[in-house]
Amino acid sequence: MANGANAAILYRPEGFETTGPRLMGRQAAGEGFLKGFVQHADVERLYCYTPRREQAEHFHAAVRDSGNTRPVKWLNEADPRSPAEAGTLYLPDPSISQHAWRRRRVDQRAYSITGITHTTASAGAMDWIAGLQLSPAQEWDALICTSTVVKQTVDFVLDAQAEFLRARLGAQHFPRPQLPVIPLGIDTASFTPDAALRAQGRKALGIEEDDIVVLFVGRLSFHAKAHPLPMYLGLERVARTMPGRKIHLLQAGWFANEFIEKAFKSGAAQFCPSVRCEFVDGRDAVARQQAWQAADIFSSLSDNIQETYGLAPVEAMAAGLPSVVTDWNGYRDTIRNGIDGIRVPTMMPPPGWAEDLADRHANQIDNYDHYCGFTSQFVAVDPEVCAASYARLINDPALRRQMGEAARQRAVSHFDWRVVIAQYQHLWAELAERRRGAPESAPRIAGQPAQPTRADPYRAFASYATSTLAPNDTIALLPGATPQLFDAVASSALIAFAKAVNPPIPEMHRLLESMKDGERTLAQLAQDWPPETRSWRARSLLWLAKLGLVRIKKG
Protein backbone atom coordinates (compact mmCIF):
# COMPACT_ATOMS: atom_id res chain seq x y z
CA MET A 1 0.00 0.00 0.00
CA ALA A 2 1.25 3.44 -0.84
CA ASN A 3 2.26 5.54 2.15
CA GLY A 4 4.42 8.35 0.78
CA ALA A 5 4.02 12.06 1.40
CA ASN A 6 1.46 13.58 -0.94
CA ALA A 7 0.56 16.99 -2.36
CA ALA A 8 -2.43 18.72 -3.88
CA ILE A 9 -1.39 19.91 -7.33
CA LEU A 10 -2.45 23.42 -8.31
CA TYR A 11 -3.65 22.68 -11.83
CA ARG A 12 -3.97 24.98 -14.80
CA PRO A 13 -4.07 22.93 -18.05
CA GLU A 14 -1.81 25.27 -20.05
CA GLY A 15 0.98 24.81 -17.51
CA PHE A 16 1.02 21.02 -17.82
CA GLU A 17 0.77 20.32 -21.55
CA THR A 18 2.96 20.89 -24.59
CA THR A 19 0.32 20.74 -27.33
CA GLY A 20 -0.09 24.49 -27.74
CA PRO A 21 1.52 26.57 -30.49
CA ARG A 22 4.07 28.08 -28.07
CA LEU A 23 6.18 25.45 -26.35
CA MET A 24 7.94 26.85 -23.27
CA GLY A 25 10.33 25.17 -20.88
CA ARG A 26 7.97 25.54 -17.91
CA GLN A 27 5.26 23.69 -19.86
CA ALA A 28 7.60 20.84 -20.76
CA ALA A 29 8.68 20.70 -17.12
CA GLY A 30 5.06 20.72 -15.92
CA GLU A 31 3.98 17.98 -18.29
CA GLY A 32 7.00 15.90 -17.32
CA PHE A 33 6.37 16.40 -13.61
CA LEU A 34 2.75 15.29 -13.87
CA LYS A 35 3.65 12.15 -15.81
CA GLY A 36 6.52 11.43 -13.47
CA PHE A 37 4.33 11.92 -10.41
CA VAL A 38 1.69 9.55 -11.77
CA GLN A 39 4.25 6.89 -12.62
CA HIS A 40 6.53 7.09 -9.60
CA ALA A 41 4.82 8.75 -6.61
CA ASP A 42 4.17 6.44 -3.67
CA VAL A 43 0.66 7.71 -2.89
CA GLU A 44 -2.80 6.21 -2.54
CA ARG A 45 -4.66 8.96 -4.41
CA LEU A 46 -4.06 12.08 -6.46
CA TYR A 47 -5.33 15.53 -5.44
CA CYS A 48 -6.25 18.21 -7.95
CA TYR A 49 -6.60 21.77 -6.61
CA THR A 50 -8.57 23.99 -9.01
CA PRO A 51 -11.44 26.49 -8.81
CA ARG A 52 -13.67 24.68 -11.32
CA ARG A 53 -14.77 21.09 -11.69
CA GLU A 54 -14.17 21.07 -15.45
CA GLN A 55 -10.48 21.74 -14.81
CA ALA A 56 -10.45 18.80 -12.42
CA GLU A 57 -11.97 16.65 -15.15
CA HIS A 58 -9.20 17.79 -17.49
CA PHE A 59 -6.67 16.79 -14.82
CA HIS A 60 -8.36 13.41 -14.44
CA ALA A 61 -8.04 12.80 -18.19
CA ALA A 62 -4.40 13.92 -18.24
CA VAL A 63 -3.32 11.59 -15.44
CA ARG A 64 -5.36 8.72 -16.89
CA ASP A 65 -3.46 9.13 -20.16
CA SER A 66 -0.25 8.87 -18.14
CA GLY A 67 -1.34 5.51 -16.71
CA ASN A 68 -3.00 6.54 -13.46
CA THR A 69 -5.39 3.99 -11.91
CA ARG A 70 -5.65 5.56 -8.44
CA PRO A 71 -8.57 7.68 -7.23
CA VAL A 72 -8.45 11.38 -8.07
CA LYS A 73 -10.00 13.86 -5.67
CA TRP A 74 -10.90 17.43 -6.56
CA LEU A 75 -10.08 19.98 -3.87
CA ASN A 76 -12.05 23.14 -4.53
CA GLU A 77 -9.70 26.12 -4.72
CA ALA A 78 -12.49 28.34 -3.41
CA ASP A 79 -11.80 26.77 0.00
CA PRO A 80 -8.29 27.70 1.24
CA ARG A 81 -8.54 24.92 3.84
CA SER A 82 -8.85 22.11 1.31
CA PRO A 83 -5.13 21.34 0.69
CA ALA A 84 -4.87 20.22 4.31
CA GLU A 85 -6.23 16.83 3.29
CA ALA A 86 -3.17 16.23 1.08
CA GLY A 87 -0.71 17.81 3.54
CA THR A 88 1.12 19.92 0.94
CA LEU A 89 0.08 22.30 -1.81
CA TYR A 90 2.34 22.02 -4.88
CA LEU A 91 2.62 25.10 -7.11
CA PRO A 92 4.15 24.89 -10.60
CA ASP A 93 5.69 28.36 -10.09
CA PRO A 94 7.21 30.49 -7.29
CA SER A 95 3.92 32.08 -6.12
CA ILE A 96 4.23 30.88 -2.52
CA SER A 97 3.44 34.30 -1.06
CA GLN A 98 0.00 34.50 -2.67
CA HIS A 99 -1.03 31.13 -1.26
CA ALA A 100 0.58 31.75 2.14
CA TRP A 101 -1.64 34.80 2.57
CA ARG A 102 -4.68 32.67 1.70
CA ARG A 103 -3.66 29.99 4.17
CA ARG A 104 -3.31 32.62 6.92
CA ARG A 105 -7.06 33.18 6.68
CA VAL A 106 -7.63 29.70 8.08
CA ASP A 107 -4.64 28.02 9.78
CA GLN A 108 -0.97 28.49 8.94
CA ARG A 109 -0.16 24.99 10.19
CA ALA A 110 -2.85 23.37 8.06
CA TYR A 111 -0.46 22.39 5.27
CA SER A 112 2.87 23.18 3.64
CA ILE A 113 3.31 25.06 0.37
CA THR A 114 6.00 24.25 -2.18
CA GLY A 115 6.74 26.26 -5.31
CA ILE A 116 9.38 25.84 -7.96
CA THR A 117 11.63 28.18 -9.90
CA HIS A 118 11.69 28.35 -13.68
CA THR A 119 13.04 31.64 -14.93
CA THR A 120 14.10 33.94 -12.12
CA ALA A 121 14.93 36.93 -14.33
CA SER A 122 11.42 38.23 -15.04
CA ALA A 123 9.96 41.07 -12.99
CA GLY A 124 7.14 38.80 -11.84
CA ALA A 125 9.49 36.06 -10.64
CA MET A 126 11.74 38.56 -8.87
CA ASP A 127 8.73 40.12 -7.14
CA TRP A 128 7.46 36.71 -6.06
CA ILE A 129 10.85 35.88 -4.56
CA ALA A 130 11.32 39.25 -2.84
CA GLY A 131 7.73 39.05 -1.59
CA LEU A 132 8.61 36.01 0.52
CA GLN A 133 10.18 38.39 3.05
CA LEU A 134 6.92 40.32 3.39
CA SER A 135 4.52 37.37 3.31
CA PRO A 136 3.57 34.81 5.96
CA ALA A 137 5.59 32.05 4.27
CA GLN A 138 6.67 29.61 6.97
CA GLU A 139 9.66 27.45 7.78
CA TRP A 140 7.58 24.46 6.70
CA ASP A 141 7.20 25.85 3.17
CA ALA A 142 9.75 25.48 0.37
CA LEU A 143 10.78 27.13 -2.87
CA ILE A 144 12.43 24.42 -4.93
CA CYS A 145 15.48 25.71 -6.80
CA THR A 146 16.24 23.68 -9.91
CA SER A 147 19.97 24.39 -9.87
CA THR A 148 22.71 25.51 -7.50
CA VAL A 149 23.13 28.91 -9.13
CA VAL A 150 19.36 29.52 -9.05
CA LYS A 151 19.51 29.07 -5.29
CA GLN A 152 22.33 31.61 -5.21
CA THR A 153 20.16 34.08 -7.14
CA VAL A 154 17.21 33.49 -4.81
CA ASP A 155 19.46 33.98 -1.77
CA PHE A 156 20.79 37.21 -3.31
CA VAL A 157 17.28 38.64 -3.81
CA LEU A 158 16.12 37.62 -0.33
CA ASP A 159 19.28 39.02 1.29
CA ALA A 160 18.97 42.31 -0.63
CA GLN A 161 15.31 42.62 0.38
CA ALA A 162 16.21 41.87 4.00
CA GLU A 163 18.92 44.52 3.98
CA PHE A 164 16.46 47.09 2.67
CA LEU A 165 13.88 46.21 5.34
CA ARG A 166 16.59 46.38 8.01
CA ALA A 167 17.59 49.87 6.90
CA ARG A 168 14.03 51.07 6.28
CA LEU A 169 12.20 49.61 9.28
CA GLY A 170 14.87 48.37 11.65
CA ALA A 171 13.70 44.79 11.08
CA GLN A 172 15.94 42.09 12.53
CA HIS A 173 14.13 38.80 11.94
CA PHE A 174 13.75 37.51 8.39
CA PRO A 175 12.16 34.05 8.25
CA ARG A 176 12.16 32.35 4.89
CA PRO A 177 11.00 29.04 3.44
CA GLN A 178 13.34 26.14 2.76
CA LEU A 179 15.33 26.44 -0.47
CA PRO A 180 16.20 22.87 -1.52
CA VAL A 181 17.99 22.20 -4.80
CA ILE A 182 16.06 19.53 -6.70
CA PRO A 183 16.60 19.16 -10.46
CA LEU A 184 13.93 18.89 -13.09
CA GLY A 185 13.47 15.33 -14.24
CA ILE A 186 12.87 13.49 -17.48
CA ASP A 187 11.63 10.10 -18.59
CA THR A 188 15.02 8.66 -19.50
CA ALA A 189 13.53 5.55 -21.09
CA SER A 190 11.95 7.59 -23.88
CA PHE A 191 15.41 8.77 -24.99
CA THR A 192 17.13 5.39 -25.01
CA PRO A 193 19.52 5.13 -28.00
CA ASP A 194 18.36 2.66 -30.63
CA ALA A 195 20.46 1.63 -33.64
CA ALA A 196 17.45 0.95 -35.85
CA LEU A 197 15.82 4.27 -34.99
CA ARG A 198 19.13 5.99 -35.59
CA ALA A 199 19.36 4.56 -39.08
CA GLN A 200 15.73 5.50 -39.80
CA GLY A 201 16.20 9.02 -38.49
CA ARG A 202 19.34 9.68 -40.48
CA LYS A 203 17.74 8.31 -43.63
CA ALA A 204 14.66 10.49 -43.13
CA LEU A 205 16.89 13.54 -42.72
CA GLY A 206 19.17 12.68 -45.65
CA ILE A 207 22.25 12.08 -43.52
CA GLU A 208 24.95 9.60 -44.60
CA GLU A 209 26.44 7.08 -42.20
CA ASP A 210 29.83 8.83 -41.94
CA ASP A 211 28.43 12.34 -41.62
CA ILE A 212 28.63 14.15 -38.27
CA VAL A 213 25.43 15.57 -36.82
CA VAL A 214 25.50 18.31 -34.19
CA LEU A 215 22.08 18.88 -32.63
CA PHE A 216 20.53 21.82 -30.80
CA VAL A 217 17.09 21.31 -29.22
CA GLY A 218 15.10 24.14 -27.68
CA ARG A 219 13.34 27.37 -28.44
CA LEU A 220 14.93 29.05 -31.43
CA SER A 221 15.29 32.45 -29.81
CA PHE A 222 18.52 34.43 -29.99
CA HIS A 223 17.21 36.95 -27.44
CA ALA A 224 15.72 34.64 -24.79
CA LYS A 225 17.40 31.24 -25.03
CA ALA A 226 20.81 30.85 -26.68
CA HIS A 227 22.45 33.14 -29.22
CA PRO A 228 23.50 30.88 -32.12
CA LEU A 229 26.48 32.93 -33.30
CA PRO A 230 29.20 31.15 -31.24
CA MET A 231 27.83 27.79 -32.41
CA TYR A 232 27.78 28.93 -36.05
CA LEU A 233 31.28 30.41 -35.89
CA GLY A 234 32.74 27.42 -34.04
CA LEU A 235 31.31 24.83 -36.43
CA GLU A 236 32.36 26.87 -39.46
CA ARG A 237 35.98 26.93 -38.26
CA VAL A 238 35.91 23.15 -37.79
CA ALA A 239 34.27 22.52 -41.16
CA ARG A 240 36.95 24.55 -42.97
CA THR A 241 39.68 22.38 -41.47
CA MET A 242 37.85 19.20 -42.58
CA PRO A 243 36.85 19.80 -46.21
CA GLY A 244 36.24 16.10 -46.78
CA ARG A 245 33.92 15.69 -43.79
CA LYS A 246 30.25 16.61 -44.03
CA ILE A 247 28.99 18.29 -40.87
CA HIS A 248 25.27 18.80 -40.27
CA LEU A 249 23.77 21.22 -37.78
CA LEU A 250 20.22 20.30 -36.81
CA GLN A 251 18.33 22.96 -34.91
CA ALA A 252 15.12 21.46 -33.51
CA GLY A 253 12.72 23.97 -32.04
CA TRP A 254 10.27 26.63 -33.09
CA PHE A 255 10.37 30.30 -34.06
CA ALA A 256 8.16 32.84 -32.31
CA ASN A 257 7.75 34.88 -35.50
CA GLU A 258 8.99 35.35 -39.06
CA PHE A 259 11.56 37.96 -38.08
CA ILE A 260 13.34 35.52 -35.74
CA GLU A 261 13.11 32.71 -38.30
CA LYS A 262 14.68 34.90 -40.98
CA ALA A 263 17.43 36.01 -38.57
CA PHE A 264 18.36 32.41 -37.74
CA LYS A 265 18.35 31.20 -41.31
CA SER A 266 20.20 34.17 -42.75
CA GLY A 267 22.66 34.00 -39.86
CA ALA A 268 23.36 30.33 -40.54
CA ALA A 269 23.96 31.06 -44.23
CA GLN A 270 26.24 34.00 -43.40
CA PHE A 271 28.29 32.59 -40.54
CA CYS A 272 28.54 28.85 -41.24
CA PRO A 273 28.20 28.35 -45.02
CA SER A 274 30.44 25.25 -44.89
CA VAL A 275 27.98 23.44 -42.60
CA ARG A 276 24.74 21.89 -43.78
CA CYS A 277 22.23 23.71 -41.56
CA GLU A 278 18.72 22.32 -41.20
CA PHE A 279 15.81 23.31 -39.02
CA VAL A 280 13.41 20.77 -37.53
CA ASP A 281 10.02 21.55 -35.99
CA GLY A 282 10.68 20.69 -32.36
CA ARG A 283 6.94 20.68 -31.60
CA ASP A 284 6.55 17.58 -33.79
CA ALA A 285 7.23 14.56 -31.57
CA VAL A 286 8.22 12.32 -34.49
CA ALA A 287 10.62 14.87 -35.96
CA ARG A 288 12.07 15.54 -32.53
CA GLN A 289 12.71 11.84 -31.90
CA GLN A 290 14.35 11.47 -35.32
CA ALA A 291 16.68 14.35 -34.49
CA TRP A 292 17.67 12.87 -31.12
CA GLN A 293 18.38 9.46 -32.62
CA ALA A 294 20.25 10.82 -35.64
CA ALA A 295 22.63 13.05 -33.67
CA ASP A 296 26.28 12.45 -32.75
CA ILE A 297 26.85 15.50 -30.57
CA PHE A 298 24.49 17.77 -28.66
CA SER A 299 25.23 21.47 -28.30
CA SER A 300 23.59 24.32 -26.44
CA LEU A 301 25.64 27.48 -25.91
CA SER A 302 23.23 29.28 -23.60
CA ASP A 303 24.21 32.83 -22.67
CA ASN A 304 20.89 34.09 -21.34
CA ILE A 305 19.81 34.98 -17.81
CA GLN A 306 16.37 33.60 -18.66
CA GLU A 307 17.84 30.08 -18.62
CA THR A 308 17.89 28.53 -15.14
CA TYR A 309 18.25 24.80 -15.67
CA GLY A 310 17.98 23.50 -19.21
CA LEU A 311 16.07 20.28 -19.86
CA ALA A 312 17.61 19.67 -23.28
CA PRO A 313 21.14 18.86 -21.98
CA VAL A 314 19.62 16.28 -19.63
CA GLU A 315 17.61 14.82 -22.50
CA ALA A 316 20.84 14.66 -24.51
CA MET A 317 22.47 12.74 -21.66
CA ALA A 318 19.59 10.27 -21.65
CA ALA A 319 19.99 9.92 -25.43
CA GLY A 320 23.61 8.89 -24.88
CA LEU A 321 25.05 11.98 -26.57
CA PRO A 322 28.21 13.84 -25.57
CA SER A 323 27.62 17.56 -25.25
CA VAL A 324 29.30 20.85 -26.00
CA VAL A 325 27.56 23.38 -23.77
CA THR A 326 28.40 26.65 -22.11
CA ASP A 327 29.62 26.76 -18.54
CA TRP A 328 26.38 28.52 -17.62
CA ASN A 329 23.83 28.30 -14.86
CA GLY A 330 22.10 24.92 -14.48
CA TYR A 331 24.31 23.29 -17.09
CA ARG A 332 26.97 23.09 -14.37
CA ASP A 333 24.75 20.79 -12.32
CA THR A 334 24.08 18.42 -15.20
CA ILE A 335 26.99 18.17 -17.67
CA ARG A 336 30.24 17.19 -15.96
CA ASN A 337 33.09 18.83 -17.83
CA GLY A 338 35.33 16.22 -19.44
CA ILE A 339 33.07 13.34 -18.37
CA ASP A 340 29.65 13.78 -20.00
CA GLY A 341 30.74 16.50 -22.39
CA ILE A 342 32.65 19.76 -22.62
CA ARG A 343 31.66 23.01 -20.95
CA VAL A 344 32.82 26.15 -22.77
CA PRO A 345 33.76 29.04 -20.44
CA THR A 346 31.59 32.15 -20.43
CA MET A 347 32.35 35.71 -19.33
CA MET A 348 30.07 38.58 -18.29
CA PRO A 349 30.66 42.13 -17.03
CA PRO A 350 31.35 42.58 -13.29
CA PRO A 351 28.57 43.61 -10.89
CA GLY A 352 27.58 47.24 -11.19
CA TRP A 353 28.13 47.58 -14.93
CA ALA A 354 24.51 47.22 -16.02
CA GLU A 355 22.43 49.44 -13.75
CA ASP A 356 21.09 51.06 -16.90
CA LEU A 357 19.73 47.73 -18.18
CA ALA A 358 18.04 47.05 -14.83
CA ASP A 359 16.55 50.55 -14.81
CA ARG A 360 15.20 50.27 -18.35
CA HIS A 361 13.48 46.99 -17.49
CA ALA A 362 12.17 48.20 -14.12
CA ASN A 363 10.57 51.22 -15.74
CA GLN A 364 9.15 49.23 -18.69
CA ILE A 365 11.27 51.02 -21.26
CA ASP A 366 12.34 47.51 -22.27
CA ASN A 367 10.02 44.54 -22.03
CA TYR A 368 11.23 41.21 -20.64
CA ASP A 369 12.30 39.86 -24.04
CA HIS A 370 14.39 42.93 -24.76
CA TYR A 371 15.88 42.90 -21.26
CA CYS A 372 17.03 39.29 -21.70
CA GLY A 373 18.27 39.93 -25.22
CA PHE A 374 20.16 43.09 -24.33
CA THR A 375 21.77 41.43 -21.31
CA SER A 376 22.94 38.44 -23.34
CA GLN A 377 24.69 40.71 -25.84
CA PHE A 378 27.44 41.30 -23.29
CA VAL A 379 28.00 37.66 -22.33
CA ALA A 380 31.01 36.30 -24.21
CA VAL A 381 31.31 32.73 -25.46
CA ASP A 382 34.69 32.18 -27.18
CA PRO A 383 34.24 30.76 -30.72
CA GLU A 384 37.84 29.43 -30.67
CA VAL A 385 37.12 27.30 -27.61
CA CYS A 386 33.84 26.20 -29.19
CA ALA A 387 35.67 25.15 -32.36
CA ALA A 388 38.31 23.22 -30.41
CA SER A 389 35.58 21.44 -28.40
CA TYR A 390 33.63 20.44 -31.51
CA ALA A 391 36.83 19.29 -33.26
CA ARG A 392 37.85 17.17 -30.29
CA LEU A 393 34.60 15.21 -30.34
CA ILE A 394 34.27 15.05 -34.12
CA ASN A 395 37.78 13.61 -34.48
CA ASP A 396 37.50 11.05 -31.67
CA PRO A 397 34.62 8.53 -32.04
CA ALA A 398 35.86 6.61 -28.98
CA LEU A 399 35.64 9.76 -26.84
CA ARG A 400 32.13 10.39 -28.13
CA ARG A 401 31.10 6.88 -27.11
CA GLN A 402 32.81 7.17 -23.72
CA MET A 403 31.19 10.49 -22.87
CA GLY A 404 27.83 9.40 -24.25
CA GLU A 405 27.78 6.26 -22.10
CA ALA A 406 28.77 8.23 -18.98
CA ALA A 407 26.08 10.79 -19.74
CA ARG A 408 23.43 8.11 -20.17
CA GLN A 409 24.31 6.47 -16.84
CA ARG A 410 24.22 9.82 -15.03
CA ALA A 411 20.86 10.74 -16.51
CA VAL A 412 19.32 7.47 -15.33
CA SER A 413 20.83 7.66 -11.83
CA HIS A 414 20.30 11.37 -11.15
CA PHE A 415 17.64 12.91 -13.41
CA ASP A 416 15.03 10.25 -14.10
CA TRP A 417 11.63 11.19 -12.68
CA ARG A 418 11.80 8.05 -10.54
CA VAL A 419 14.70 9.62 -8.63
CA VAL A 420 13.40 13.21 -8.68
CA ILE A 421 9.86 12.39 -7.46
CA ALA A 422 11.38 10.51 -4.53
CA GLN A 423 13.24 13.73 -3.62
CA TYR A 424 9.95 15.66 -3.76
CA GLN A 425 8.24 13.20 -1.44
CA HIS A 426 11.17 13.24 0.95
CA LEU A 427 10.94 17.05 1.03
CA TRP A 428 7.19 16.98 1.69
CA ALA A 429 7.66 14.54 4.58
CA GLU A 430 10.40 16.75 6.03
CA LEU A 431 8.18 19.84 5.76
CA ALA A 432 5.36 18.01 7.54
CA GLU A 433 7.73 17.28 10.42
CA ARG A 434 8.77 20.93 10.57
CA ARG A 435 5.11 21.97 10.54
CA ARG A 436 4.50 20.04 13.73
CA GLY A 437 7.21 21.73 15.78
CA ALA A 438 8.69 24.86 14.20
CA PRO A 439 7.65 28.28 15.56
CA GLU A 440 4.94 30.04 13.57
CA SER A 441 5.88 33.29 11.88
CA ALA A 442 3.36 36.15 12.09
CA PRO A 443 0.45 34.30 13.76
CA ARG A 444 -2.84 35.94 12.94
CA ILE A 445 -4.25 38.29 15.58
CA ALA A 446 -7.98 37.97 16.17
CA GLY A 447 -9.90 40.82 14.61
CA GLN A 448 -7.07 41.80 12.26
CA PRO A 449 -7.17 41.07 8.50
CA ALA A 450 -5.27 38.00 7.36
CA GLN A 451 -3.76 40.06 4.52
CA PRO A 452 -3.74 43.85 4.94
CA THR A 453 -3.95 44.57 1.22
CA ARG A 454 -6.69 41.98 0.61
CA ALA A 455 -8.90 42.52 3.64
CA ASP A 456 -12.60 41.72 3.90
CA PRO A 457 -14.07 44.58 1.81
CA TYR A 458 -16.69 45.27 4.47
CA ARG A 459 -13.83 45.82 6.92
CA ALA A 460 -11.59 47.88 4.62
CA PHE A 461 -14.49 50.06 3.46
CA ALA A 462 -16.54 50.01 6.68
CA SER A 463 -16.87 53.79 6.72
CA TYR A 464 -18.64 53.88 3.36
CA ALA A 465 -22.11 52.80 4.51
CA THR A 466 -24.55 54.55 6.84
CA SER A 467 -24.55 51.54 9.18
CA THR A 468 -23.73 47.85 9.41
CA LEU A 469 -25.98 44.92 10.21
CA ALA A 470 -26.03 44.21 13.96
CA PRO A 471 -27.37 41.32 16.14
CA ASN A 472 -30.34 43.32 17.51
CA ASP A 473 -31.47 44.63 14.12
CA THR A 474 -34.90 43.31 13.16
CA ILE A 475 -35.76 41.68 9.87
CA ALA A 476 -39.28 41.31 8.46
CA LEU A 477 -40.68 40.05 5.16
CA LEU A 478 -42.22 42.65 2.88
CA PRO A 479 -45.68 41.96 1.45
CA GLY A 480 -45.59 39.37 -1.34
CA ALA A 481 -42.10 38.14 -0.45
CA THR A 482 -42.39 34.48 -1.44
CA PRO A 483 -39.88 31.94 -2.76
CA GLN A 484 -41.54 32.31 -6.16
CA LEU A 485 -40.98 36.07 -6.20
CA PHE A 486 -37.40 35.52 -5.07
CA ASP A 487 -36.79 33.13 -8.00
CA ALA A 488 -38.19 35.64 -10.47
CA VAL A 489 -36.02 38.47 -9.18
CA ALA A 490 -32.86 36.40 -8.66
CA SER A 491 -33.01 35.03 -12.22
CA SER A 492 -32.57 38.52 -13.68
CA ALA A 493 -29.24 39.11 -15.39
CA LEU A 494 -28.84 42.08 -13.08
CA ILE A 495 -28.62 39.65 -10.16
CA ALA A 496 -27.58 36.29 -11.59
CA PHE A 497 -24.16 37.58 -12.70
CA ALA A 498 -23.00 37.05 -9.10
CA LYS A 499 -24.21 33.47 -8.79
CA ALA A 500 -20.70 32.27 -7.93
CA VAL A 501 -20.98 34.02 -4.54
CA ASN A 502 -24.74 34.30 -4.07
CA PRO A 503 -26.18 31.97 -1.41
CA PRO A 504 -27.71 28.67 -2.61
CA ILE A 505 -31.30 29.08 -3.81
CA PRO A 506 -32.72 26.21 -1.69
CA GLU A 507 -31.22 27.84 1.41
CA MET A 508 -32.85 31.14 0.50
CA HIS A 509 -36.20 29.43 0.14
CA ARG A 510 -35.82 27.95 3.63
CA LEU A 511 -34.80 31.32 5.05
CA LEU A 512 -37.89 33.00 3.58
CA GLU A 513 -40.10 30.25 4.98
CA SER A 514 -38.52 30.62 8.46
CA MET A 515 -39.48 34.31 8.52
CA LYS A 516 -43.19 33.83 7.74
CA ASP A 517 -44.18 33.98 11.40
CA GLY A 518 -43.18 37.60 11.84
CA GLU A 519 -40.37 40.00 12.62
CA ARG A 520 -37.21 38.55 14.20
CA THR A 521 -33.83 39.92 15.19
CA LEU A 522 -30.64 38.78 13.53
CA ALA A 523 -29.58 37.18 16.83
CA GLN A 524 -32.79 35.15 16.95
CA LEU A 525 -32.46 33.98 13.37
CA ALA A 526 -28.78 33.02 13.87
CA GLN A 527 -29.56 30.68 16.78
CA ASP A 528 -30.47 27.95 14.31
CA TRP A 529 -27.50 28.48 11.99
CA PRO A 530 -24.37 26.27 12.12
CA PRO A 531 -21.42 28.47 13.19
CA GLU A 532 -19.48 27.94 9.94
CA THR A 533 -22.43 29.30 7.90
CA ARG A 534 -23.32 32.37 9.94
CA SER A 535 -21.31 34.87 7.86
CA TRP A 536 -22.89 34.05 4.52
CA ARG A 537 -26.35 33.52 6.01
CA ALA A 538 -26.29 36.93 7.68
CA ARG A 539 -24.97 38.43 4.47
CA SER A 540 -27.89 36.89 2.59
CA LEU A 541 -30.34 39.00 4.62
CA LEU A 542 -28.82 42.12 3.12
CA TRP A 543 -29.13 40.51 -0.28
CA LEU A 544 -32.85 39.96 0.33
CA ALA A 545 -33.15 43.59 1.38
CA LYS A 546 -31.44 44.64 -1.84
CA LEU A 547 -33.92 42.49 -3.80
CA GLY A 548 -36.86 44.23 -2.10
CA LEU A 549 -38.03 41.14 -0.22
CA VAL A 550 -37.27 42.06 3.41
CA ARG A 551 -37.06 45.21 5.52
CA ILE A 552 -34.20 45.65 8.02
CA LYS A 553 -34.75 48.07 10.93
CA LYS A 554 -31.92 49.16 13.19
CA GLY A 555 -32.34 47.87 16.73
Side-chain angles (χ1 to χ4, degrees), residues 210-224:
D210 293 333
D211 295 353
I212 289 291
V213 178
V214 178
L215 171 67
F216 169 87
V217 176
R219 260 191 305 153
L220 294 167
S221 171
F222 57 80
H223 65 283

Side-chain angles (χ1 to χ4, degrees), residues 17-263:
E17 56 186 24
T18 57
T19 56
R22 291 173 58 86
L23 176 57
M24 308 293 281
R26 64 178 179 83
Q27 293 165 326
E31 183 180 71
F33 167 80
L34 194 57
K35 290 181 179 178
F37 189 77
V38 167
Q39 294 169 4
H40 302 295
D42 178 29
V43 295
E44 293 181 334
R45 68 176 64 238
L46 305 185
Y47 292 97
C48 173
Y49 184 63
T50 72
R52 294 186 294 277
R53 187 176 293 276
E54 56 266 29
Q55 288 179 326
E57 292 170 354
H58 190 283
F59 175 91
H60 198 290
V63 297
R64 184 178 60 243
D65 291 344
S66 296
N68 181 60
T69 57
R70 289 161 292 196
V72 175
K73 183 167 184 179
W74 172 44
L75 300 179
N76 192 338
E77 197 174 334
D79 179 6
R81 297 175 181 82
S82 62
E85 182 172 341
T88 302
L89 172 60
Y90 171 79
L91 313 174
D93 56 41
S95 61
I96 293 174
S97 297
Q98 170 189 341
H99 295 276
W101 283 114
R102 283 202 82 205
R103 181 183 59 189
R104 192 168 185 254
R105 295 181 185 278
V106 289
D107 180 0
Q108 296 194 117
R109 291 189 187 274
Y111 51 90
S112 295
I113 303 171
T114 59
I116 187 169
T117 59
H118 291 296
T119 183
T120 54
S122 70
M126 285 287 188
D127 289 346
W128 273 337
I129 294 167
L132 291 171
Q133 297 283 28
L134 294 172
S135 79
Q138 302 292 327
E139 185 181 330
W140 48 84
D141 300 325
L143 177 61
I144 296 168
C145 302
T146 54
S147 66
T148 303
V149 292
V150 163
K151 182 180 185 303
Q152 293 169 351
T153 297
V154 171
D155 277 328
F156 166 79
V157 174
L158 290 174
D159 290 345
Q161 177 80 329
E163 186 56 40
F164 170 76
L165 294 173
R166 184 179 292 111
R168 173 76 169 173
L169 304 173
Q172 296 298 320
H173 184 52
F174 302 99
R176 61 178 63 176
Q178 305 303 305
L179 301 174
V181 177
I182 300 178
L184 296 176
I186 63 168
D187 175 17
T188 57
S190 63
F191 293 90
T192 303
D194 184 288
L197 291 176
R198 174 178 170 84
Q200 292 172 13
R202 289 172 80 93
K203 182 178 180 180
L205 294 166
I207 299 167
E208 299 296 328
E209 183 178 346
D210 293 333
D211 295 353
I212 289 291
V213 178
V214 178
L215 171 67
F216 169 87
V217 176
R219 260 191 305 153
L220 294 167
S221 171
F222 57 80
H223 65 283
K225 191 67 175 177
H227 202 289
L229 184 59
M231 181 171 63
Y232 290 166
L233 294 176
L235 287 173
E236 176 64 18
R237 294 181 189 191
V238 174
R240 287 182 179 179
T241 66
M242 303 177 183
R245 196 74 181 270
K246 186 178 288 187
I247 299 175
H248 299 254
L249 173 61
L250 288 183
Q251 295 178 78
W254 61 273
F255 302 107
N257 54 54
E258 291 183 6
F259 172 80
I260 294 175
E261 180 177 2
K262 183 178 179 180

